[in-house]
Amino acid sequence: MELFFELEIAYIVIAIFFLVVTAFVTTRDFMPKVAFSRGMISVSMLFATMILLHFFVTTTRIDGVKEIFNEGGTIICENKMNRTISRSVLISKELEWRLKGDYFTSDNHTRDFHTSRCIDYSPIAPKNPTE
């Protein structure tokens, strides 16, 4: 449950904002009496579906990234801290990175990277030279 809130809190806040706007608009005099209940149910279900789908996709990617890293593969992570030179960082066991919970850490780097901000880095090359 902690991972859910860690990943989705921004989207939950946005959903609450839209629910407040929906409640405000649907309670105006020019709206039909059923608008409030229909609007709140519709907006709630839409955002709940979108948030749960995003969580499922993100946790699936996290599991894949962890598996690839543990098998010795290379991962690429978004580097928002240093935008002048490189926007990404390559992470692998060969480069002295380790997985601590949901974070990639290294003694040679100033910050940790959450696995949700990383993807598999497999250079695209044909498996068969004749392809």
Side-chain angles (χ1 to χ4, degrees):
M1 193 62 150
E2 180 180 332
L3 180 62
F4 176 78
F5 286 116
E6 183 178 349
L7 296 175
E8 304 301 324
I9 192 67
Y11 303 113
I12 292 170
V13 169
I14 292 168
I16 290 170
F17 171 76
F18 276 97
L19 283 170
V20 169
V21 169
T22 302
F24 179 77
V25 170
T26 57
T27 55
R28 301 299 96 195
D29 293 337
F30 58 86
M31 296 296 287
K33 296 289 183 199
V34 296
F36 178 78
S37 60
R38 287 182 183 170
M40 293 300 280
I41 290 170
S42 300
V43 172
S44 297
M45 291 187 67
L46 175 70
F47 276 104
T49 301
M50 290 170 48
I51 289 169
L52 290 174
L53 183 63
H54 180 264
F55 180 72
F56 174 74
V57 168
T58 303
T59 54
T60 302
R61 188 179 67 244
I62 287 172
D63 293 339
V65 164
K66 285 181 178 180
E67 182 179 334
I68 291 166
F69 178 79
N70 288 329
E71 291 174 357
T74 302
I75 305 299
I76 188 166
C77 291
E78 180 181 29
N79 186 8
K80 291 184 176 183
M81 180 183 251
N82 186 0
R83 293 185 180 213
T84 57
I85 299 170
S86 175
R87 289 190 166 206
S88 57
V89 174
L90 293 178
I91 293 176
S92 70
K93 288 183 178 181
E94 294 172 355
L95 299 172
E96 299 180 6
W97 286 89
R98 59 192 174 280
L99 186 61
K100 197 184 276 187
D102 287 326
Y103 289 90
F104 290 114
T105 61
S106 173
D107 297 332
N108 302 327
H109 205 275
T110 57
R111 65 176 290 221
D112 301 339
F113 293 94
H114 197 282
T115 52
S116 67
R117 303 292 175 236
C118 303
I119 58 171
D120 176 22
Y121 176 74
S122 299
I124 300 173
K127 294 179 184 175
N128 186 348
T130 60
E131 291 180 353

